[in-house]
């Protein structure tokens, strides 16, 4: 028996390759599926099943493509309904994979069709659970993402309580836990940085598995502090339910080199969004007018999903050299399949063609400190709510303006004013500045180094509040 976790940091997502006696199951595969086919071929094994723990909301799974390529059967849990061929398993149904068995445990709560897959080894011993978004390390899945359900999040939270206590917690303490996500995922609020654990440890340390916890306490604690889901979650879930274009088709359309003239012409003709994925320091020094920055080196896919509201939006790319194909791939992981090409040679090509270039003023924390003390400047803190409440710059003209909800909150600021923007380290503030600039806010100053750098000055900072108490 072989188990391999294939973890993708940008999505904080774990897919799983399970092999026994020449037969393979893939659990929750990524959009680009050739990697699983190659792995099975290398082992001279055949992919028999593609198991889906639920309709994922935070990424587009590769289950449809993988089944077409290999002839594998897609397996979902009870109550799942798809627009493509899939096997809908019953609770406690077992599937043979070589010498091992994979048992379906219906664990509704995160979503109605959510299941946990129990791996039973060749000796009949419960070996591991692939818990999807039902159980994370340190947390459980948020119960507010069900597609077209008449149930409330409180109803689903109550279901999750029962699922955990009736299906998961009775399992042996030495059962290995392989969750679908780790820290950084928006599918929970307190996920561990670890990506593999032991069930007994979770019973001792995970707040949601306290043995003396009532259902009412569970519902209250699980729902407390959950932010609204990113706008793309429901759209990705529907793609996973309904199907999508093949990854190879998306890549072929998007991985196209364009000269400056063609790039500009397509941008105008298709009303395409120009997405610049270089480093934020390069972006502020010079970028194409009206382009949006979301750096590929940061939390790229989740920020794209949170900020670009139309999955069908035509997109043109400005990338670091050699990152063109990767960028198209990572966009497709969250359902943005309409990339039309990239600027061949990047900004150097644009400059050589004599095209217009814009910049954003960027200053050090020390320079910001001088201006803050001597001028009546307006500051936008674009960090998340918990970060701001934990610790922030104090002043009458300091405004919390979270990047997550920038599209909703733009009317709260004045395009005629000058704003100084900061985040934690400098990545998100440039994203925010690029969006505001494209919307007609021309008087923007980025604070390089963000709040980390500001804390090293003598500016007034609020008293620290531990984030775990918020």
């Amino acid at each position: 028996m072989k188990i391999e976790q294939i973890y993708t940091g940008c999505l904080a997502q774990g897919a799983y390759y399970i092999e026994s006696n020449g037969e393979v199951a893939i659990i929750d595969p990524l959009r680009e599926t050739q990697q699983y086919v190659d792995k099975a071929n290398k082992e001279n094994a055949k992919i028999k099943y593609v198991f889906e723990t639920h309709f994922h909301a935070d990424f587009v799974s590769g289950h449809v493509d993988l089944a077409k390529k290999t002839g594998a059967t897609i397996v979902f849990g009870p109550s799942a309904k798809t627009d493509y061929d899939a096997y809908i398993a019953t609770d406690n149904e077992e599937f043979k994979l070589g010498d091992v068995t994979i048992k379906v445990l219906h664990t509704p709560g995160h979503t109605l069709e959510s299941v946990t897959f129990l791996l039973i080894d060749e000796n009949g011993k419960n070996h591991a659970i692939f818990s999807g978004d039902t159980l994370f390390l340190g947390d459980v899945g948020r119960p507010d993402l069900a597609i077209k359900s008449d149930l409330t999040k409180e109803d689903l939270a109550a279901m999750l309580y029962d699922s955990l206590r009736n299906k998961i917690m009775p399992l042996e303490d030495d059962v290995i836990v392989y969750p679908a996500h780790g820290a950084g995922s928006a599918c929970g609020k307190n996920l561990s940085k670890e990506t593999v654990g032991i069930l007994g440890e979770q019973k001792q340390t995970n707040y949601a598995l306290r043995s003396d916890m009532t259902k009412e306490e569970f519902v209250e604690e699980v729902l407390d502090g959950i932010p609204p889901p990113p706008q793309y979650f429901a759209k990705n879930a529907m793609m996973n339910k309904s199907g999508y274009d093949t990854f190879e088709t998306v890549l072929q359309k998007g991985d196209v080199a364009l000269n400056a003239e063609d790039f500009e012409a397509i941008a105008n003709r298709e009303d395409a969004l120009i997405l610049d994925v270089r480093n934020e320091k390069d972006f502020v020094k010079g970028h194409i007018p009206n382009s949006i920055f979301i750096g590929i080196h940061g939390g790229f896919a989740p920020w794209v999903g949170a900020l670009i509201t139309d999955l069908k939006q035509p997109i043109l790319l400005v990338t670091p050299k050699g990152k063109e194909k990767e960028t198209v791939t990572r966009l497709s992981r969250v359902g943005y399949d309409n990339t039309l090409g990239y600027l061949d040679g990047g900004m150097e090509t644009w400059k050589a063609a004599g095209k217009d270039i814009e910049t954003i003023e960027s200053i050090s924390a020390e320079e910001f400190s001088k201006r803050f003390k001597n001028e009546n400047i307006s500051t936008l803190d674009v960090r998340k709510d918990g970060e701001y409440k934990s610790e922030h710059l104090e002043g009458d003209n300091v405004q919390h303006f979270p990047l997550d909800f920038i599209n909703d909150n733009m009317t709260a600021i004045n395009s005629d004013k000058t704003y100084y923007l900061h985040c934690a380290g400098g990545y998100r503030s440039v994203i925010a500045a690029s969006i505001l600039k494209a919307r007609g806010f021309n008087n923007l100053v980025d604070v390089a180094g963000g709040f980390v750098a500001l804390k090293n000055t003598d500016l007034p900072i609020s008293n620290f509040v531990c984030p775990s108490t918020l």
Side-chain angles (χ1 to χ4, degrees):
M1 179 175 64
K2 175 188 291 186
I3 302 172
E4 183 175 348
Q5 181 185 69
I6 304 169
Y7 198 79
T8 304
C10 181
L11 296 172
Q13 188 267 347
Y16 296 93
Y17 175 98
I18 307 167
E19 181 189 330
S20 175
N21 198 18
E23 294 185 338
V24 174
I26 307 294
I27 298 180
D28 296 340
L30 277 187
R31 184 78 180 271
E32 60 275 24
T33 57
Q34 190 59 40
Q35 57 183 320
Y36 312 114
V37 176
D38 292 344
K39 190 179 293 293
N41 288 341
K42 185 179 178 181
E43 299 294 333
N44 197 28
K46 179 176 174 56
I47 298 176
K48 184 178 182 181
Y49 296 115
V50 182
F51 290 110
E52 288 285 294
T53 54
H54 63 295
F55 292 124
H56 304 283
D58 59 312
F59 71 100
V60 179
S61 179
H63 55 304
V64 177
D65 273 357
L66 189 55
K68 287 179 180 177
K69 282 183 178 180
T70 64
T73 300
I74 300 172
V75 179
F76 275 96
S79 80
K81 295 180 180 179
T82 67
D83 295 341
Y84 46 82
D85 289 338
Y87 183 86
I88 308 305
T90 58
D91 190 23
N92 295 315
E93 187 169 355
E94 296 184 350
F95 295 82
K96 293 299 294 182
L97 186 77
D99 298 325
V100 303
T101 302
I102 295 178
K103 184 176 183 178
V104 175
L105 305 179
H106 188 205
T107 49
H110 174 65
T111 63
L112 287 173
E113 78 286 348
S114 286
V115 293
T116 294
F117 293 109
L118 172 64
L119 176 62
I120 303 169
D121 69 18
E122 57 271 22
N123 298 314
K125 182 180 184 302
N126 293 336
H127 180 79
I129 53 171
F130 300 85
S131 54
D133 288 20
T134 296
L135 175 64
F136 299 127
L137 304 186
D139 203 356
V140 292
R142 54 189 299 166
D144 62 340
L145 301 180
I147 303 175
K148 294 184 178 179
S149 170
D150 294 331
L151 298 171
T152 67
K153 59 186 177 182
E154 287 80 12
D155 293 331
L156 286 163
M159 286 185 181
L160 185 57
Y161 175 89
D162 291 335
S163 292
L164 291 165
R165 276 145 183 84
N166 297 333
K167 298 292 185 68
I168 305 297
M169 293 176 68
L171 296 172
E172 300 87 342
D173 286 353
D174 63 350
V175 167
I176 302 169
V177 180
Y178 292 109
H181 294 291
S185 169
C187 293
K189 58 184 177 180
N190 191 39
L191 282 69
S192 169
K193 292 181 180 179
E194 301 298 322
T195 62
V196 180
I198 301 297
L199 184 56
E201 293 177 358
Q202 290 305 302
K203 292 177 185 178
Q204 296 297 318
T205 61
N206 190 319
Y207 77 97
L209 302 189
R210 295 198 309 270
S211 59
D212 61 347
M213 195 179 210
T214 66
K215 184 179 291 189
E216 291 72 21
E217 289 172 334
F218 177 91
V219 171
E220 181 179 356
E221 291 188 38
V222 165
L223 294 178
D224 182 46
I226 294 182
Q231 63 85 28
Y232 72 105
F233 268 28
K235 300 169 185 177
N236 276 197
M238 284 306 299
M239 287 181 71
N240 284 320
K241 183 177 186 294
S242 302
Y244 44 75
D245 289 339
T246 66
F247 169 70
E248 286 75 16
T249 299
V250 173
L251 184 60
Q252 184 178 27
K253 183 172 76 170
D255 190 20
V256 177
L258 301 169
N259 61 36
E261 296 298 333
D262 290 343
F263 186 93
E264 186 174 43
I266 292 173
N268 293 329
R269 184 177 69 244
E270 302 291 341
D271 195 23
L273 171 70
I274 299 174
L275 181 61
D276 193 321
V277 307
R278 298 173 297 151
N279 186 280
E280 63 267 20
K281 294 178 181 177
D282 295 325
F283 183 86
V284 299
K285 291 176 183 177
H287 56 269
I288 297 173
N290 294 320
S291 59
I292 301 300
F293 165 78
I294 304 177
I296 198 168
H297 65 284
F300 176 69
W303 280 119
V304 167
L307 299 171
I308 301 177
T309 55
D310 183 4
L311 263 63
K312 297 181 180 179
Q313 169 69 52
I315 295 173
L316 289 168
L317 299 174
V318 179
T319 77
K321 185 173 177 57
K323 293 291 185 179
E324 300 88 359
K325 182 176 180 179
E326 178 185 342
T327 306
V328 177
T329 298
R330 289 171 67 173
L331 284 169
S332 76
R333 288 176 182 168
V334 282
Y336 293 82
D337 290 357
N338 202 13
T339 302
L340 303 180
Y342 62 88
L343 182 60
D344 192 17
M347 283 304 296
E348 294 305 314
T349 294
W350 193 259
K351 293 175 185 176
K355 304 292 186 181
D356 290 342
I357 292 174
E358 291 188 353
T359 62
I360 294 173
E361 183 180 0
S362 183
I363 63 173
S364 67
E366 292 73 19
E367 176 60 27
F368 173 82
S369 178
K370 293 176 186 177
R371 298 186 191 184
F372 189 87
K373 294 172 183 175
N374 299 322
E375 305 171 28
N376 187 29
I377 66 175
S378 297
T379 304
L380 300 179
D381 183 334
V382 304
R383 297 175 299 157
K384 290 180 180 289
D385 187 59
E387 295 174 280
Y388 179 82
K389 288 178 179 178
S390 176
E391 201 173 16
H392 59 265
L393 183 66
E394 291 188 320
D396 293 338
N397 290 318
V398 176
Q399 182 176 348
H400 185 217
F401 191 72
L403 175 60
D404 312 50
F405 306 107
I406 190 170
N407 292 313
D408 300 324
N409 297 336
M410 219 165 287
T411 56
I413 57 177
N414 187 343
S415 61
D416 295 328
K417 290 180 67 173
T418 297
Y419 290 100
Y420 290 74
L421 290 80
H422 80 82
C423 58
Y427 176 79
R428 289 173 287 173
S429 59
V430 177
I431 297 177
S434 73
I435 294 172
L436 292 175
K437 192 172 180 65
R439 301 283 184 87
F441 292 79
N442 295 312
N443 305 310
L444 304 168
V445 182
D446 176 62
V447 182
F451 192 68
V452 172
L454 292 176
K455 288 180 67 175
N456 292 325
T457 69
D458 60 353
L459 289 171
I461 304 293
S462 67
N463 292 328
F464 176 75
V465 177
C466 181
S468 65
T469 67
L470 292 173

